[in-house]
Amino acid sequence: MLKKIFQSPLFNAVLIIGLGIIMLGDHYAAHIPDWLVVDSMVLGIPILIMMAVIPVYNRRHPQNRIKPSAIPMELREEDEGMQWLTFKATRKVYIFFAFAIPTGIALTAYLHHIPYVPIILLIGMGVVQYLIYWFQMKRFS
């Protein structure tokens, strides 16, 4: 179960949203509503708890261990079918970024009077990237 949580693109999307909200609260507290200002420990403590649970999980499930790696867990293909699904999903994400990055640059230039627009755009692009990947994998699974 823990491995499925860590492998889920939705988990990464939630992390991006959490980190983005913390960044907004830390750097732009004067520009955003008070309810959006969140202490970094709100996200830090659950992450530390999950990291502490990994060794326990690895001892209980030695055949299905969670190993740290520089390669994202979504890109670990087990067979050719999984490689094809990953190829299709990452292709759609690449196409999304081909349109989102120029649009984000234009929005940042146009909305330069709103100081937190770049962070909102990065949060949005990060979340959409994982949602595209997740929907693509769900569609073919």
Side-chain angles (χ1 to χ4, degrees):
M1 163 104 168
L2 189 62
K3 189 168 186 173
K4 279 192 171 252
I5 291 172
F6 279 138
Q7 273 185 318
S8 172
L10 295 179
F11 175 73
N12 291 331
V14 169
L15 278 180
I16 288 174
I17 292 170
L19 289 171
I21 290 173
I22 289 169
M23 287 285 295
L24 285 172
D26 284 349
H27 298 288
Y28 302 106
H31 301 286
I32 61 173
D34 288 338
W35 61 268
L36 202 53
V37 178
V38 178
D39 187 21
S40 60
M41 284 295 131
V42 169
L43 185 63
I45 291 173
I47 288 175
L48 290 174
I49 290 170
M50 290 178 73
M51 292 303 187
V53 171
I54 289 175
V56 174
Y57 176 86
N58 285 342
R59 267 188 251 119
R60 288 188 178 174
H61 307 283
Q63 71 284 357
N64 197 16
R65 298 173 64 92
I66 298 174
K67 301 173 194 160
S69 175
I71 299 172
M73 292 184 95
E74 297 91 17
L75 297 179
R76 294 187 187 162
E77 300 100 356
E78 291 106 26
D79 56 12
E80 288 183 18
M82 193 65 177
Q83 285 178 350
W84 177 252
L85 292 178
T86 302
F87 164 74
K88 296 294 278 184
T90 53
R91 182 178 183 273
K92 287 193 177 194
V93 169
Y94 181 83
I95 291 168
F96 162 72
F97 276 123
F99 290 106
I101 290 174
T103 305
I105 292 170
L107 285 173
T108 302
Y110 182 70
L111 300 173
H112 61 85
H113 58 281
I114 304 173
Y116 51 85
V117 165
I119 291 179
I120 297 293
L121 289 172
L122 288 172
I123 293 168
M125 285 192 284
V127 169
V128 170
Q129 162 196 343
Y130 282 114
L131 288 177
I132 289 171
Y133 181 86
W134 184 72
F135 282 125
Q136 190 70 18
M137 297 305 279
K138 285 291 181 191
R139 185 172 145 206
F140 288 116
S141 294

